Amino acid sequence: MAMAQIGATPKGGVNRVALSDADKAGRDLFIEWCQQAGCQVEVDQMGNIFARRAGRGTDLPAVAAGSHLDSQPTGGKFDGVYGVLAALEVVETLNDLGLETERSIEVISWTNEEGARFAPAMVSSGVFAGEFDLDYGLSRQDPEGKTIGEELARIGYAGSLPVGGRDYHAAFELHIEQGPILEAQGRPIGIVTGVQGARWYDLVITGQEAHAGSTPMARRRDPVQGALASLAPLYELAAAHQPEARLTIGALTAEPGVVNTVPGRLTIKIDMRHPDAEILGQLDAGLRAILDEAARALPLNFELIDIWHSVPVAFDPGCVAALRAAAAALDLPALEMVSGAGHDAVYLSRVAPTAMIFIPCKDGLSHNEAESIEKSDATAGADVLLRAVLAMAEGD
Ligand SMILES: [Zn+2]
């Protein structure tokens, strides 16, 4: 709640967009707490924060836990923040109990997870994992043309530590579910075994601008007809792959976009997701076949532009097993599930054994100022994290 006062919005949410003054204040508070807990804090060149509680075996790869402190412009109190502060709570609990661990424990806060100000999302864990190079990460711009590198320097978080190359024995990210499933099932814990894959496209359908009154219907090359011919079968394709497939048409933009002109161009933003790479590939092929058929039937041009492709991720079986054991030992009802949203853990899983824990959020709401969680669920999630981190920090 103290963290949620930084960037607090009148509707009870949080605006702590990446590398804003509020983000700096949140980082400062977090680091103060980490130092009070005896952690050694380092910041890398992407502004990622690593707070280390030293173990006995200082040369051994550490166990990592964390998430992100940045928010959406009208975000909630818990998205990301909960996972960072719960990881710090693990450290504080070990301190309170006077427990040393064999491996060191690192609490991580990743820069610009949300992507709300600087696209793409998860860019800094992406640089850490080698998905993007450092220059790419630092040169991402906000809508005003300010770069991540400039803004990191401005708020004093352009660290000197090289990005990546840190070796972890295991890594965990605890996060609110951002969906309705755990709440509906009355289970406090989600053991996240993987993250579904996503493909983003811009579908550009080109016809010809024409007068809405004087051009006979039969003479028109209307791209909206192309949307009708392609989107209906695309929804049928998604329906044929339920319950796991997800199809979203997030934007349809007609140009010139006036009431009395047949548009010359229609751009349609498509988001398709599935946890199975093979089926996501089938959905992709299905979309292309639908467009080919529509292009044969109509005097229109269909261009499909690939915007983003994130392959489905299967988390580390050892980390998943540690979470399963932790939930069972605590007698907490757990559901094994696949994440519908992307997280820093997706990139981290490429360079470290990784898994995630979810807890329910009220009405499944997230990216919303009304985002809310129960204290009992927050405690349950942190308890599972503590047990799993401890098991990994002691085991071999
Ligand atoms: Zn998040």
Side-chain angles (χ1 to χ4, degrees):
M1 291 306 115
M3 184 62 81
Q5 286 171 13
I6 299 175
T9 60
K11 288 183 183 166
V14 160
N15 177 2
R16 221 169 32 240
V17 168
L19 311 185
S20 60
D21 291 351
D23 186 23
K24 173 191 164 43
R27 288 162 173 264
D28 290 350
L29 180 60
F30 169 62
I31 288 176
E32 187 187 322
W33 286 338
C34 290
Q35 287 169 341
Q36 281 167 10
C39 293
Q40 189 199 336
V41 177
E42 291 183 285
V43 179
D44 74 12
Q45 292 164 297
M46 284 301 295
N48 298 315
I49 302 171
F50 304 86
R52 189 179 182 94
R53 181 186 194 264
R56 284 186 298 266
T58 44
D59 296 339
L60 294 172
V63 176
S67 190
H68 60 95
L69 290 172
D70 70 316
S71 80
Q72 291 283 318
T74 52
K77 297 185 190 80
F78 305 103
D79 174 0
V81 186
Y82 167 58
V84 176
L85 297 187
L88 178 57
E89 181 72 23
V90 165
V91 165
E92 291 176 346
T93 300
L94 296 177
N95 289 349
D96 292 346
L97 299 174
L99 282 178
E100 279 193 341
T101 53
E102 189 61 29
R103 297 174 182 280
S104 299
I105 295 169
E106 274 194 12
V107 180
I108 305 177
S109 177
W110 301 104
T111 296
N112 187 51
E113 189 277 344
E114 293 290 356
R117 180 177 176 194
F118 303 95
M122 302 170 282
V123 66
S124 305
S125 52
V127 175
F128 184 91
E131 168 72 14
F132 312 116
D133 64 33
L134 180 62
D135 288 342
Y136 175 88
L138 292 174
S139 62
R140 294 309 89 208
Q141 291 184 352
D142 73 2
E144 293 176 15
K146 294 176 182 162
T147 66
I148 287 184
E150 288 161 7
E151 286 296 274
L152 277 172
R154 184 185 70 81
I155 68 166
Y157 276 88
S160 54
L161 193 70
V163 186
R166 287 173 100 78
D167 204 7
Y168 292 119
H169 178 65
F172 297 100
E173 182 169 359
L174 171 58
H175 204 282
I176 61 170
E177 182 198 340
Q178 305 183 286
I181 297 167
L182 290 174
E183 185 182 51
Q185 296 209 5
R187 299 195 217 197
I189 297 295
I191 294 171
V192 187
T193 56
V195 178
Q196 66 183 354
R199 296 199 70 136
W200 289 359
Y201 313 89
D202 276 356
L203 168 59
V204 181
I205 309 175
T206 311
Q208 189 172 42
E209 286 176 30
H211 193 291
S214 53
T215 315
M217 296 297 281
R219 294 285 300 269
R220 297 183 183 191
R221 294 173 55 215
D222 180 356
V224 178
Q225 295 284 2
L228 292 175
S230 53
L231 295 187
L234 186 57
Y235 273 96
E236 281 167 26
L237 180 65
H241 290 88
Q242 288 309 298
E244 290 176 308
R246 304 271 190 275
L247 168 66
T248 304
I249 308 299
L252 299 96
T253 311
E255 290 166 72
V258 290
V259 66
N260 57 353
T261 295
V262 176
R265 222 165 102 107
L266 186 64
T267 302
I268 302 171
K269 292 195 176 294
I270 303 173
D271 175 319
M272 284 203 305
R273 303 185 188 217
H274 200 283
D276 183 316
E278 200 169 312
I279 299 177
L280 188 59
Q282 289 170 14
L283 292 170
D284 175 74
L287 167 60
R288 289 170 202 277
I290 286 166
L291 297 180
D292 285 347
E293 195 174 322
R296 275 195 297 274
L298 296 165
L300 298 166
N301 182 56
F302 292 77
E303 186 189 4
L304 190 66
I305 303 165
D306 285 285
I307 301 294
W308 187 50
H309 181 196
S310 148
V311 293
V313 171
F315 283 140
D316 177 68
C319 289
V320 169
L323 296 176
R324 215 177 267 143
L330 292 158
D331 225 357
L332 290 167
L335 178 70
E336 305 216 354
M337 60 196 299
V338 169
S339 173
H343 293 284
D344 291 306
V346 170
Y347 287 137
L348 190 56
S349 72
R350 297 186 187 179
V351 291
T354 301
M356 289 189 74
I357 314 161
F358 280 168
I359 63 160
C361 51
K362 188 165 187 293
D363 300 328
L365 271 185
S366 182
H367 287 194
N368 188 310
E369 291 165 278
E371 195 178 86
S372 173
I373 60 176
E374 294 295 327
K375 192 172 179 186
S376 57
D377 293 334
T379 306
D383 280 342
V384 170
L385 181 66
L386 170 66
R387 290 223 171 209
V389 166
L390 205 48
M392 285 298 188
E394 287 302 328
D396 42 37

